[in-house]
Amino acid sequence: MPKILIVGGGYAGFYTAWKLEKQLRPGEAEVTMVDPLPYMTYQPFLPEVAAGSIEPRHAVVAHRRHLKTTNIITGKVTYVDHARKVATIQPPVGEAYEFEYDIVVVTAGAVSRTFPIPGVADQAVGLKNIEEAVYIRDQLLTNFDKAAGLPAGPERDRLLTVVVVGGGFAGIEIFAELRSFASSLLKRYPELSFEDTHFHLIEAMGRIMPEVSLKTSHWVIKNLAERGAQIHLETQLTSAVDGVIQLSTGESFETDLIVWTAGVMANPTIVRHTDLPIEERGRLRVRADLRVGTDEEIIEDAWGAGDVSAVPDLTGAGVGGYCVPNAQHAVRQGKLLAKNIVASLRGELPRQYYHKSLGAVAGLGVGVGVLQSGKIAMKGVIGWLAHRGYHGLAMPSWERKWRVIWGWWNNFWLGRDIVSLEAVQHPRAGFEEFAARPKPAVEAAPEEPAKKAPARKKPAAEKQPAEVTAK
């Protein structure tokens, strides 16, 4: 029975395994998926998680709950040696070991791409996983708690200043959602006013959201400006040391929260540690039928999809001729990849990936959103409903869909939960502070050597009687 190894359990990897379970016949192949995390993150929901609109656990899909027959290995693939058909797996505990396979599927995803700007690595946080979104939410809430106890001044301004770097879809959504969240918090903090909050988005290009029309992007900028959020176009971040923001325009201000969304890159753990072909931008070289290789040469029994792969965009709409790294492509590629693998096992030819985007939706805070489909653009409440409707249905499995939609329904009547759980970063702090500890052993003082007492002359009165002496 052939062994299929899926490297990565994100969108493409999860959907590949999920669909293989439904399409493979019993005993036709054995599927194993390896990922450092035990769940898939639905990344379009991360801005709403950060803004308190979605419960964090509802935005992830547990591998072991929804993959019934796939072998799940929680670990990291550190090398893929396709010449030997062996992958090296490093588990969380124990020594690394080799895993033999017959077919490899590389769907390791992407990570945040940063630049060597002073302070960014020490001060900023990305938006690629659920833990980062939770951190952003708790940090903003905690900063409001701290600022409420301070007088107006530089320290309060620093705590209530939010900076987002990157004006793509992810950057604009997290920026707008946090602006919406902060505005809703003000009614709970009478000590603070709207003017105390400061929101800055930094974008090096001359426009935002290239996925929508220029007219729609201008509407988004105007809408955010009316809500007290400032967008710096054609501006670069030059330094963020100690939270002091320095811009290429000469502007400078301090912040306690920097969110980095300025690009992604293929997972370097895989693309830098494999003998599979890698293209000039550091992605796995993949054909339109999702087999690894080129039009002239096919690497047998190797497949790739998702953000880690350079998949040709046959519609001609992709940047540089390749599919852009987003969830819309990764999900569809994963589904087709499962079909193509099954077809290959049965001696059939695989199909080429072709997907023409029907449009894009973005949530800009509760009640505000945009939808762009061709030349048609919907803004405001209609765009927001389209955003929630699309992603609510796109969330894998009805169990997850129900949890997300039920959470939105509860928030509609009860409002967003504003409890910060920042203390979870150091869960044992309270216990350690008051925990009883054994008293340290007291070391005995070293004994001094005994001194010989000098001979004492008995006084005359102590002399024994003569008769005793005589005896």
Side-chain angles (χ1 to χ4, degrees), residues 114-445:
T114 59
F115 306 105
I117 301 171
V120 167
D122 302 316
Q123 302 291 327
V125 59
L127 192 67
K128 289 293 293 178
N129 56 55
I130 198 69
E131 292 82 3
E132 291 172 326
V134 172
Y135 170 85
I136 293 169
R137 181 199 65 184
D138 289 345
Q139 185 72 11
L140 184 63
L141 287 168
T142 299
N143 284 357
F144 263 74
D145 290 331
K146 292 177 180 178
L150 294 174
E155 180 60 15
R156 192 163 81 173
D157 288 341
R158 184 183 72 85
L159 291 169
L160 298 179
T161 297
V162 175
V163 175
V164 175
V165 183
F169 247 63
I172 290 296
E173 284 192 297
I174 185 64
F175 185 61
E177 288 286 356
L178 291 179
R179 174 67 270 184
S180 172
F181 191 28
S183 298
S184 69
L185 287 174
L186 289 171
K187 60 185 177 183
R188 309 293 182 186
Y189 292 86
E191 306 91 341
L192 305 175
S193 66
F194 182 84
E195 289 72 23
D196 292 326
T197 59
H198 313 281
F199 282 74
H200 299 270
L201 183 135
I202 304 165
E203 170 53 49
M205 304 300 289
R207 64 162 296 177
I208 61 170
M209 303 174 74
E211 298 88 346
V212 303
S213 68
L214 189 61
K215 182 179 179 181
T216 302
S217 72
H218 287 164
W219 180 89
V220 173
I221 294 174
K222 180 181 178 182
N223 177 269
L224 287 169
E226 292 172 350
R227 293 157 58 186
Q230 185 176 357
I231 295 179
H232 305 261
L233 295 177
E234 297 182 332
T235 304
Q236 295 180 346
L237 175 67
T238 59
S239 177
V241 176
D242 297 327
V244 179
I245 300 298
Q246 301 283 349
L247 302 181
S248 57
T249 58
E251 296 175 78
S252 179
F253 46 86
E254 293 188 39
T255 180
D256 193 52
L257 181 56
I258 305 171
V259 183
W260 181 274
T261 64
V264 296
M265 64 179 181
N267 191 332
T269 306
I270 297 301
V271 297
R272 296 176 186 173
H273 302 94
T274 181
D275 59 351
L276 294 171
I278 306 299
E279 49 96 59
E280 56 275 5
R281 293 190 61 185
R283 296 172 296 180
L284 189 68
R285 190 177 293 280
V286 175
R287 295 160 43 92
D289 59 11
L290 304 180
R291 286 184 287 184
V292 176
T294 63
D295 291 338
E296 296 75 28
E297 181 184 9
I298 299 173
I299 307 299
E300 293 295 335
D301 299 324
W303 304 77
D307 295 355
V308 76
S309 302
V311 180
D313 190 340
L314 300 182
T315 68
V319 178
Y322 295 100
C323 296
V324 296
N326 62 23
Q328 192 173 144
H329 282 302
V331 168
R332 288 169 172 79
Q333 288 169 12
K335 293 178 179 180
L336 178 63
L337 186 49
K339 292 180 180 178
N340 282 353
I341 291 173
V342 172
S344 178
L345 289 173
R346 297 173 185 172
E348 302 169 5
L349 291 176
R351 291 168 46 202
Q352 291 188 328
Y353 176 73
Y354 182 95
H355 172 66
K356 188 173 183 180
S357 176
L358 298 178
V361 289
L364 305 175
V366 175
V368 185
V370 294
L371 177 150
Q372 184 78 48
S373 180
K375 295 183 179 180
I376 301 174
M378 298 181 181
K379 313 176 188 74
V381 176
I382 296 177
W384 176 70
L385 291 173
H387 161 77
R388 284 204 163 178
Y390 172 80
H391 287 297
L393 293 176
M395 185 69 179
S397 83
W398 282 103
E399 178 259 338
R400 293 284 100 181
K401 289 178 175 65
W402 177 253
R403 290 182 188 273
V404 170
I405 296 171
W406 183 247
W408 284 335
W409 177 255
N410 287 336
N411 286 350
F412 178 79
W413 299 103
L414 305 175
R416 289 183 272 199
D417 200 323
I418 63 170
V419 175
S420 169
L421 296 178
E422 188 189 34
V424 78
Q425 307 291 334
H426 307 283
R428 297 186 67 250
F431 180 81
E432 288 180 344
E433 182 180 357
F434 300 105
R437 292 177 171 83
K439 294 181 179 179
V442 179
E443 295 184 7

Side-chain angles (χ1 to χ4, degrees), residues 19-78:
K19 296 303 179 182
L20 280 174
E21 289 190 349
K22 297 178 181 179
Q23 296 172 27
L24 285 171
R25 300 170 185 144
E28 191 171 11
E30 178 183 331
V31 181
T32 299
M33 187 174 73
V34 183
D35 194 277
L37 298 173
Y39 51 78
M40 184 210 86
T41 302
Y42 191 75
Q43 292 181 0
F45 280 157
L46 293 183
E48 289 200 62
V49 171
S53 293
I54 294 178
E55 171 64 26
R57 283 188 177 85
H58 297 170
V60 298
V61 182
H63 291 154
R64 294 182 182 274
R65 174 162 186 169
H66 295 280
L67 297 177
K68 309 297 185 182
T69 60
T70 302
N71 300 320
I72 307 295
I73 298 178
T74 301
K76 187 180 293 185
V77 173
T78 57

